[in-house]
Amino acid sequence: MRGSILFFISFLIVCNVYSQEYSAKDFLYASSLSSKKLDNYLNKKNFLPGGSRLQNDIMVNVYVVKPGKNKKKKDTLNITRSIETFHTKNNSSFTYITSLKDEYTESLEELKEAGFFCGNEKDTANILFQKKNISVMANMIVEKDYDTLYSLAINQQELPLPGDIQFAEDLLQFYSHEYLVSVFGSVNVVKDLYYFSEKEVAKCSILFPKTSRQAVFIWEDNINLCKPAYLIIGGNMNAGSISSYDGVIGENVWNSKEGIYSGMTLNSLIKLNGNSFKFYGKNSESPYMIVPEKTGSINFKTNRVVLGCLNPSGSRLLNNATIGADEIVSDNLGLYVYMMMILPPNDNKNK
């Protein structure tokens, strides 16, 4: 994790910070330090421990600027600066707060020059910058007395190694496009558009495109390419760069934790579930999708499974609004798992 931060630091050192007393270079470097080293570094930068507070069961350490010596009475400019930090098992957070707008805006420029991706830079609040496993949330805070403060919240996330990823659901640990790039490399992760229909299009990220390990991330934050809405495994992959691909892509090899995989027969799916289930008819708004409910060991609410059918004209039952899997399995229509749409757990959505 420190290797990536040192790259940004070396780039930012050459930036001209002009009137900035503290720059993005300082914040990024400080956020990479352990607690002991951080205290020493901030002391050199004229910050002292200013107490701590509990926030969502996490202890947040506060640092304040050392009192100035021999401050002249005629100096009327009251500059506010403070720092808040905390560490958890998988990430560290460093927030710098200042009342100087120029210091804030110059730091944003440095982040852009260092190659941080930002999809909402025209906003005035909650501006998100991302680079690999590092994210910076820039914000403008209006206090009760109408004073304005500016904050830069830097978060470094500890990400899983590729070898730790076994099931399709494990991919939902990657909260953003940049997280995927950080672990799998830019060659294996591409930005694209996913066509749900001619009128409904969403930005997406594709992991291992045009291979049997292909996985499509649909983002809830479609501007900053983060916060996964769901993960698509299998199917035709209606993405722009793939729809025109005329090569051969092998059967998708990703399995769900519950044991579902692309190409699995309807009979095998019933056995895996331990009970029958219903799916929507071919003329419905969601043709062949299994009704999102839990009738056995598989939770079809979080793993939305869409079936394929090799013989769609082979049974009148397919014209019904819903069909029981046990009612049609003996018709031998060639029903199989065509696509999985896996939703993230609730705690992942709240990051």
Side-chain angles (χ1 to χ4, degrees):
M1 183 164 65
R2 292 187 179 182
S4 58
I5 206 77
L6 289 174
F7 169 79
F8 304 133
I9 294 166
S10 62
F11 178 91
L12 291 167
I13 285 176
V14 303
C15 295
N16 188 348
V17 297
Y18 296 101
S19 60
Q20 281 180 278
E21 189 167 346
Y22 304 101
S23 68
K25 167 182 70 71
D26 300 315
F27 311 143
L28 290 169
Y29 177 72
S31 67
S32 69
L33 299 175
S34 63
S35 298
K36 285 187 178 180
K37 291 183 178 180
L38 179 63
D39 283 348
N40 292 333
Y41 178 78
L42 292 181
N43 184 58
K44 293 177 182 178
K45 292 290 183 179
N46 293 319
F47 281 92
L48 293 174
S52 60
R53 58 184 174 82
L54 200 61
Q55 177 180 301
N56 298 328
D57 297 326
I58 298 174
M59 190 60 67
V60 178
N61 297 312
V62 180
Y63 298 83
V64 295
V65 177
K66 294 178 183 179
K69 295 181 180 180
N70 301 322
K71 187 176 179 180
K72 297 179 182 180
K73 292 183 179 180
K74 65 179 181 179
D75 292 340
T76 58
L77 181 60
N78 184 21
I79 299 175
T80 299
R81 287 190 177 105
S82 65
I83 291 170
E84 298 180 358
T85 70
F86 69 81
H87 297 270
T88 65
K89 181 181 179 181
N90 296 319
N91 68 72
S92 62
S93 177
F94 179 100
T95 301
Y96 177 70
I97 301 169
T98 179
S99 59
L100 295 180
K101 184 176 181 180
D102 287 347
E103 190 173 59
Y104 168 77
T105 54
E106 287 174 22
S107 292
L108 300 190
E109 288 300 317
E110 288 184 13
L111 291 171
K112 286 189 282 186
E113 290 171 12
F116 277 75
F117 165 69
C118 181
N120 66 328
E121 62 180 291
K122 294 182 180 180
D123 292 349
T124 56
N126 297 320
I127 308 171
L128 181 61
F129 292 85
Q130 301 174 83
K131 184 96 178 186
K132 294 189 175 181
N133 68 320
I134 305 165
S135 63
V136 183
M137 180 66 77
N139 225 331
M140 182 176 66
I141 309 164
V142 180
E143 299 286 82
K144 292 181 180 179
D145 55 3
Y146 298 104
D147 287 341
T148 302
L149 298 177
Y150 305 91
S151 68
L152 294 171
I154 302 171
N155 182 77
Q156 292 188 64
Q157 185 73 26
E158 192 73 39
L159 298 174
L161 298 173
D164 298 329
I165 307 301
Q166 298 182 32
F167 303 103
E169 289 90 340
D170 295 336
L171 293 171
L172 291 170
Q173 297 177 73
F174 298 97
Y175 189 70
S176 69
H177 178 93
E178 288 296 325
Y179 282 6
L180 288 167
V181 171
S182 180
V183 173
F184 298 104
S186 58
V187 176
N188 295 314
V189 185
V190 298
K191 297 175 184 177
D192 211 325
L193 295 175
Y194 194 89
Y195 292 85
F196 296 96
S197 66
E198 292 183 1
K199 296 181 179 180
E200 188 179 1
V201 182
K203 293 180 181 177
C204 68
S205 299
I206 306 178
L207 176 65
F208 302 125
K210 303 173 186 176
T211 73
S212 60
R213 293 199 297 161
Q214 187 168 264
V216 175
F217 290 76
I218 304 297
W219 305 110
E220 192 170 316
D221 185 342
N222 205 29
I223 296 175
N224 291 304
L225 303 182
C226 64
K227 198 173 183 181
Y230 47 88
L231 177 72
I232 299 177
I233 302 294
N236 279 339
M237 296 299 182
N238 301 319
S241 63
I242 298 175
S243 59
S244 59
Y245 180 65
D246 57 3
V248 177
I249 300 176
E251 190 86 74
N252 200 291
V253 298
W254 287 109
N255 285 21
S256 76
K257 288 183 177 180
E258 294 168 315
I260 307 172
Y261 55 89
S262 294
M264 187 178 201
T265 66
L266 179 64
N267 189 46
S268 296
L269 190 59
I270 294 172
K271 290 180 180 179
L272 182 65
N273 188 49
N275 197 8
S276 184
F277 47 81
K278 293 181 179 180
F279 63 92
Y280 296 111
K282 64 180 182 181
N283 299 317
S284 67
E285 291 184 1
S286 304
Y288 299 109
M289 188 178 84
I290 295 175
V291 176
E293 58 186 2
K294 194 174 190 299
T295 62
S297 61
I298 299 173
N299 187 354
F300 291 113
K301 292 181 181 179
T302 55
N303 190 345
R304 307 287 174 88
V305 175
V306 179
L307 301 174
C309 184
L310 299 178
N311 185 12
S313 60
S315 175
R316 292 180 179 179
L317 288 175
L318 292 176
N319 294 318
N320 296 346
T322 60
I323 304 103
D326 57 344
E327 298 173 2
I328 202 169
V329 66
S330 61
D331 288 353
N332 297 319
L333 302 178
L335 287 160
Y336 63 96
V337 173
Y338 173 69
M339 180 172 66
M340 289 186 286
M341 300 170 65
I342 304 174
L343 279 64
N346 290 329
D347 58 345
N348 201 35
K349 288 183 178 182
N350 296 328
K351 283 186 179 180

